[in-house]
């Protein structure tokens, strides 16, 4: 099993940061300086993104095992969007390794169905078809979609582009595998069994993970904690980095004594 590229910064309790689809760990650059003064932060490029070599065909469970193989023995796992699915999977299969779970603009099931808000299935199908024609343009379009609705959308898209394009382009196979995960994954059944402290952050203006998902997940995991970022769309840590860090620090301080 091939390894991923990890970059570690700072000192203190361990945090693992997992980026979203089409991105890489450089997206965390805006909040990293706030975190490294208090925590040991481990940023990973998922397989096929950034500096990590592609490992085609990985399922979500296999991807979780790849990260667990190289991650700290005990850490708070923080995942954005698709990364939130990965972090949730880790918390479900290896709770002894997880001191806390933080999901940002994420959902246990991304695709909408009757009674569940989410991405329309046709949107992901369109992205799959576009990937075959022009994957760079498809990733750029996805960035614009993530920032849509934010009052600072243009600045947010630029920050995402600067981060993503500072590293090698994502592997088209990894992009396709990621879309399959987003389309097919449903972790709702296991949410109530998550025993570690769980913070869920949402953007009020998010068009990909509607804010109504917050209440729906609360019914599945009534012991979890929720924060809605008022001015954010799908990338709260880009739009409101200080608010995200303040929320994170409060959560870690209240629920993780070692933090």
């Amino acid at each position: 099993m091939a390894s991923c590229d990890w970059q570690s910064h700072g000192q203190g309790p361990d945090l693992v940061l997992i980026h979203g689809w089409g991105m890489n760990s450089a997206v965390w650059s805006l909040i990293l300086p706030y975190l490294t003064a208090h925590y040991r932060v481990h940023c990973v490029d998922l397989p096929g993104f950034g500096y990590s070599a592609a490992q085609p065909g990985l399922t979500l469970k296999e991807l979780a095992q790849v990260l667990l193989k190289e991650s700290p023995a005990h850490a708070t796992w923080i995942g954005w969007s698709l990364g939130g699915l990965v972090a949730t999977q880790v918390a479900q299969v290896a709770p002894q390794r997880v001191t806390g779970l933080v999901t940002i603009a994420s959902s246990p099931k991304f695709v909408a169905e009757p009674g569940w808000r989410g991405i329309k299935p046709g949107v992901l199908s369109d992205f799959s078809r576009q990937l075959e024609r022009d994957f760079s343009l498809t990733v750029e379009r996805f960035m614009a979609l993530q920032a849509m609705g934010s009052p600072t959308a243009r600045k947010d898209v630029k920050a995402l582009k600067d981060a993503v394009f500072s590293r090698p382009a994502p592997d088209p196979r990894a992009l396709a595998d990621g879309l399959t995960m987003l389309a097919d994954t449903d972790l709702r059944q296991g949410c109530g069994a998550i025993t570690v402290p769980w913070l869920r952050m949402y953007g009020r203006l998010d068009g990909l993970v509607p804010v109504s998902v917050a209440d729906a997940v609360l019914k599945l995991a009534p012991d979890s904690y929720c924060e809605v970022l008022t001015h954010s769309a799908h990338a709260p840590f880009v739009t409101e980095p200080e608010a995200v860090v303040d929320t994170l620090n409060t959560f870690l301080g209240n629920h993780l004594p070692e933090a």
Side-chain angles (χ1 to χ4, degrees):
M1 190 178 288
S3 63
C4 293
D5 183 83
W6 292 79
Q7 298 187 14
S8 300
H9 317 266
Q11 297 295 329
D14 290 298
L15 307 181
V16 171
L17 272 58
I18 311 172
H19 62 81
W21 183 85
M23 308 291 135
N24 58 56
S25 63
V27 297
W28 302 111
S29 58
L30 284 178
I31 65 169
L32 200 56
Y34 295 101
L35 298 177
T36 53
H38 307 287
Y39 309 102
R40 180 71 169 162
V41 185
H42 308 270
C43 300
V44 62
D45 283 344
L46 294 176
F49 298 94
Y51 297 128
S52 291
Q55 301 174 53
L58 287 178
T59 65
L60 181 63
K61 288 184 178 180
E62 291 167 341
L63 178 56
Q65 292 302 321
V66 168
L67 300 190
L68 280 165
K69 180 172 66 77
E70 300 176 331
S71 64
H74 303 284
T76 294
W77 288 67
I78 302 172
W80 168 48
S81 195
L82 172 64
L85 275 182
V86 180
T88 301
Q89 178 72 46
V90 168
Q92 290 181 355
V93 301
Q96 73 281 4
R97 298 280 303 276
V98 181
T99 53
L101 171 64
V102 180
T103 53
I104 303 173
S106 193
S107 173
K109 177 175 169 53
F110 273 79
V111 176
E113 65 177 31
W116 185 265
R117 296 284 303 281
I119 303 172
K120 293 179 180 179
V123 172
L124 293 179
S125 299
D126 287 346
F127 275 119
S128 293
R129 286 191 293 270
Q130 291 164 12
L131 274 179
E132 298 174 6
R133 296 196 298 267
D134 189 337
F135 78 91
S136 295
L137 185 62
T138 304
V139 172
E140 285 202 42
R141 182 171 166 238
F142 189 67
M143 290 183 206
L145 193 59
Q146 292 179 79
M148 189 179 297
S150 165
T152 55
R154 184 173 295 180
K155 179 170 71 73
D156 294 354
V157 171
K158 184 180 185 305
L160 289 171
K161 282 185 179 179
D162 288 348
V164 171
F165 296 148
S166 70
R167 298 191 180 177
D171 187 290
R173 296 168 299 175
L175 289 169
D177 289 344
L179 284 179
T180 298
M181 286 184 196
L182 289 172
D184 296 347
T185 300
D186 185 351
L187 298 182
R188 290 177 295 178
Q189 189 172 357
C191 285
I194 292 176
T195 56
V196 302
W198 181 8
L199 168 65
R200 300 176 290 110
M201 286 194 249
Y202 301 90
R204 183 178 64 87
L205 307 171
D206 195 340
L208 293 171
V209 178
V211 71
S212 59
V213 169
D215 289 336
V217 178
L218 184 61
K219 293 177 182 177
L220 300 174
D223 292 332
S224 62
Y225 304 88
C226 175
E227 182 76 18
V228 176
L229 284 301
T230 305
H231 305 293
S232 293
H234 194 63
F237 56 91
V238 174
T239 310
E240 301 178 76
E242 293 183 2
V244 168
V245 171
D246 287 345
T247 300
L248 180 60
N249 283 334
T250 299
F251 170 73
L252 294 176
N254 288 342
H255 303 289
L256 304 175
E258 68 271 23

